[in-house]
Amino acid sequence: MSENNSAVWCISFDVPEAHLAIYELALEPLEGAIVVTNPDAAGMISAKVYVDGKPSQEQVEKLLSDTAGVMGGQTPEALIEQLPDIDWVAESQKALPPIVAGKFFVHGSHITQAPPEGSVPLLIEANVAFGTGQHDTTKGCLIALTDLADDRKITSALDMGCGSGILAMGIKILWDCPVLAIDIDADSVRVALENATLNKVSGITGICGDGYATAEVSQQAPFDLIVANILAEPLCQMAPELEKNLAPGGIAVLSGLLITQQEQVVKAQEAQGLKVIRELHLGEWATLVLSR
């Protein structure tokens, strides 16, 4: 097979079952779809990440090495190979079941079943942006937001690290307020705005920028609500900026952290005067709701 940079490539590696979820999240920058096997007798899982276009060997090795350093294990050896010309997006969509999270019924276009009565359908296709609703971190945020909508008034909101835009859309639907959606990845912002149009959700401003340093953040701050579904380390690093841009009495919903990382994230937020008012655990992942 000749090398084709525009074809689908597969990255194969083996990891301990207990570490799979963090590897899955850490590899999101590759903008691929992951498929895994059941664990073997030693508790190891074989993972395959399908990406559109030839990935950088250096980037793959760095992501795996950095994640192994965080998890305290050996760096997995990765095999990168080109695959036959098949519509892998369509194939991956078939494997994505619909999910119910809080008020929302998240589904792909391949789903024909009717949404549960009283739920709000959100059409999210498998794409280059993180956040199809399948991950427990996204589910946790949607559940937390739905519960907050019962008694919290929100007039301005920020989705920091918007990915597919699913949380920005959820906020807009629940509170009908302007939402600023920020992501460092231009493709994610593009997909988020496309998803908003697809779902007929208006009032979302998508900006490609560097976190809280993005000019539009300071221009529109303070926010009644800030949502950040990213990773534990950046959540800790960004705690001072989160507090700075959160309105008095405002609410923050944080996810993307393992339960084992919850204490360090909480400490970083508490150091800025924020208080945890709820924690939600789904699988091995935590979602935190904090108040200023």
Side-chain angles (χ1 to χ4, degrees):
M1 180 187 301
S2 63
E3 185 173 296
N4 182 353
N5 287 344
S6 65
V8 172
W9 290 70
C10 178
I11 305 162
S12 304
F13 57 93
D14 295 338
V15 293
E17 180 184 13
H19 295 177
L20 175 64
I22 192 68
Y23 273 96
E24 180 180 357
L25 196 59
L27 291 171
E28 284 297 337
L30 297 177
E31 302 173 351
I34 188 167
V35 176
V36 300
T37 64
N38 290 324
D40 61 18
M44 297 294 290
I45 282 180
S46 293
K48 295 182 181 295
V49 180
Y50 299 99
V51 297
D52 187 13
K54 185 179 180 180
S56 161
Q57 181 81 36
E58 293 76 13
Q59 182 189 22
V60 171
E61 291 177 353
K62 186 177 188 307
L63 289 171
L64 293 175
S65 176
D66 289 350
T67 307
V70 171
M71 302 306 295
Q74 292 185 337
T75 300
E77 292 186 9
L79 172 64
I80 301 176
E81 56 186 344
Q82 184 182 343
L83 296 181
D85 188 12
I86 296 174
D87 188 346
W88 290 101
V89 171
E91 291 300 312
S92 65
Q93 286 175 341
K94 294 177 183 178
L96 291 175
I99 66 109
V100 176
K103 187 180 180 71
F104 301 96
F105 177 76
V106 186
H107 65 97
S109 58
H110 61 290
I111 298 299
T112 58
Q113 71 187 74
E117 184 176 354
S119 66
V120 175
L122 283 178
L123 174 59
I124 304 290
E125 300 286 23
N127 212 309
V128 297
F130 172 60
T132 60
Q134 301 294 321
H135 202 279
D136 284 337
T137 59
T138 310
K139 294 179 189 176
C141 288
L142 289 174
I143 293 170
L145 290 171
T146 298
D147 292 345
L148 285 169
D150 290 336
D151 56 13
R152 288 279 179 172
K153 181 179 180 180
I154 302 296
T155 60
S156 62
L158 170 65
D159 182 1
M160 180 57 69
C162 63
S164 69
I166 186 171
L167 299 181
M169 288 189 291
I171 294 167
K172 174 61 179 178
I173 290 168
L174 290 170
W175 284 284
D176 193 22
C177 69
V179 182
L180 178 60
I182 303 291
D183 204 289
I184 198 170
D185 178 63
D187 282 333
S188 290
V189 175
R190 173 182 57 80
V191 171
L193 295 177
E194 290 175 353
N195 282 334
T197 299
L198 184 64
N199 287 276
K200 299 180 180 180
V201 178
S202 60
I204 296 174
T205 301
I207 301 292
C208 180
D210 185 13
Y212 289 99
T214 308
E216 287 80 1
V217 174
S218 58
Q219 291 169 2
Q220 298 185 31
F223 299 91
D224 296 328
L225 171 66
I226 296 178
V227 176
N229 181 18
I230 43 182
L231 292 170
E233 184 175 348
L235 286 175
C236 293
Q237 294 173 347
M238 300 165 83
E241 292 302 311
L242 184 152
E243 189 277 334
K244 176 183 176 182
N245 290 281
L246 189 63
I251 294 293
V253 177
L254 308 181
S255 197
L257 59 139
L258 293 163
I259 295 173
T260 56
Q261 299 170 318
Q262 178 173 322
E263 183 178 358
Q264 71 185 81
V265 175
V266 169
K267 286 182 177 179
Q269 313 309 315
E270 289 180 339
Q272 303 303 318
L274 301 177
K275 181 175 68 173
V276 177
I277 59 175
R278 186 188 177 192
E279 58 184 61
L280 175 64
H281 293 168
L282 294 177
E284 56 188 325
W285 297 92
T287 298
L288 304 175
V289 181
L290 304 100
S291 178
R292 181 178 176 188

